[in-house]
């Protein structure tokens, strides 16, 4: 059985989601570069919703992870709802 993401992993995930939403694609993993143009084109379309997912095998996320994700969602959706 897998464990839920720790605080460090979750902070990296949240930073990556912020970079994605704000089109700072050069900050993402180098293997992501082949998708750069497709992602940028998708982000430019009206109504696009980005869904962030932590994949693991445990039953529930720790409270620190849930709090960080809720803060991220609130911040990214302040002007325009784009993140779930």
């Amino acid at each position: 059985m897998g464990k839920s993401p720790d605080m460090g992993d979750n902070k990296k995930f949240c930073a990556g989601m912020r970079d994605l939403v704000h089109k700072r694609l050069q900050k993402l993993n180098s293997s992501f570069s082949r998708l750069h143009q497709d992602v940028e084109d998708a982000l430019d379309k009206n109504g696009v919703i980005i869904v962030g997912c932590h994949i693991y095998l445990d039953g529930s996320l720790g409270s620190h992870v849930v709090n960080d994700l809720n803060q991220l969602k609130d911040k990214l959706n302040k002007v325009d709802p784009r993140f779930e």
Side-chain angles (χ1 to χ4, degrees):
M1 199 176 254
K3 60 181 182 165
S4 66
D6 65 25
M7 192 173 235
D9 289 337
N10 193 57
K11 294 285 185 189
K12 287 185 229 176
F13 176 82
C14 290
M17 289 293 100
R18 278 191 295 277
D19 290 340
L20 180 66
V21 168
H22 296 297
K23 295 185 192 176
R24 296 185 295 246
L25 304 179
Q26 72 282 358
K27 294 180 93 179
L28 300 174
N29 186 311
S30 61
S31 63
F32 188 80
S33 63
R34 66 182 177 81
L35 302 172
H36 183 103
Q37 191 59 54
D38 292 334
V39 171
E40 198 161 314
D41 291 346
L43 291 171
D44 287 339
K45 294 185 184 205
N46 289 334
V48 168
I49 301 293
I50 298 166
V51 179
C53 299
H54 269 303
I55 307 299
Y56 67 99
L57 301 174
D58 201 358
S60 62
L61 291 171
S63 61
H64 67 281
V65 172
V66 173
N67 289 339
D68 287 347
L69 292 173
N70 284 335
Q71 286 177 356
L72 175 67
K73 183 178 177 181
D74 290 345
K75 189 167 196 159
L76 293 180
N77 291 338
K78 191 171 268 191
V79 175
D80 187 22
R82 298 195 67 182
F83 182 77
E84 286 185 19

